[in-house]
Amino acid sequence: MDDNLEDLYQEIILSHNKRPRNEGILDPHDSEAEGYNPLCGDRLQVYVKLAGPTIQAVQFTGQGCAISRASASIMTEVVKGMDEHSLDAKIAEVMELLTAKEEPMIDPLELGELAALLGVRKFPARVKCATLAWHTLAAALKQSGSITTE
Ligand code: ZN
């Protein structure tokens, strides 16, 4: 990754942390889950509103580091309008991008702001900060309502 791109990604993270999209309790919502990352202390609640099989809205609340909040904020925008099938695929894709041992081949244009999260790959301790919101969303969709620490 070249330096200019890294600066851009850093700016995207900081911007989402400062002005998160879709932060707040979603009322009404169909399901919710809480996620906790003990490595960093990040704690998020994710709320989901469905229209049939489609994600109508996702919002989040909670406290955490800039990466965890930016990841949640970006996620709420990315998943809106997806059906369960494409959402499952998206969650799997993001997990793979963040945790695969090999540097992923990506198309930054196609990935959009999600690409900004890939910077955490260099800091293994921070990967869970970036994956927390996605694990929590997956848990919410299972209607478990349980606390996920993955
Ligand atoms: Zn964190």
Side-chain angles (χ1 to χ4, degrees):
M1 220 183 271
D2 70 50
D3 286 350
N4 288 336
L5 203 54
E6 253 177 75
D7 287 348
L8 173 67
Y9 288 164
Q10 187 71 20
E11 264 176 50
I12 291 172
I13 300 255
L14 293 177
S15 152
H16 275 275
N17 177 47
K18 207 169 159 190
R19 286 184 303 278
R21 323 299 192 263
N22 307 302
E23 188 181 32
I25 296 172
L26 183 59
D27 182 30
H29 56 268
D30 296 302
S31 59
E32 64 178 281
E34 181 174 89
Y36 177 56
N37 170 17
L39 289 180
C40 179
D42 311 312
R43 195 180 285 278
L44 293 176
Q45 284 80 35
V46 171
Y47 307 89
V48 181
K49 175 121 185 68
L50 300 166
T54 305
I55 303 282
Q56 195 172 61
V58 174
Q59 290 191 194
F60 77 99
T61 59
Q63 306 225 308
C65 65
I67 291 169
S68 67
R69 287 168 56 79
S71 181
S73 173
I74 291 169
M75 178 187 79
T76 62
E77 297 203 308
V78 167
V79 301
K80 199 178 287 183
M82 287 186 174
D83 64 24
E84 272 174 66
H85 182 72
S86 48
L87 181 69
D88 281 350
K90 194 68 186 180
I91 291 175
E93 182 196 342
V94 171
M95 295 298 178
E96 174 73 16
L97 286 173
L98 290 170
T99 61
K101 288 202 171 59
E102 306 273 316
E103 181 81 27
M105 301 291 288
I106 59 155
D107 178 347
L109 288 179
E110 194 188 315
L111 211 51
E113 293 191 314
L114 272 176
L117 297 175
L118 297 186
V120 303
R121 290 177 48 83
K122 282 192 296 186
F123 309 97
R126 308 308 299 278
V127 168
K128 286 203 169 191
C129 301
T131 58
L132 179 65
W134 298 83
H135 280 301
T136 309
L137 174 62
L141 288 167
K142 282 186 206 138
Q143 299 267 10
S144 63
S146 60
I147 293 178
T148 175
T149 55
E150 278 189 64

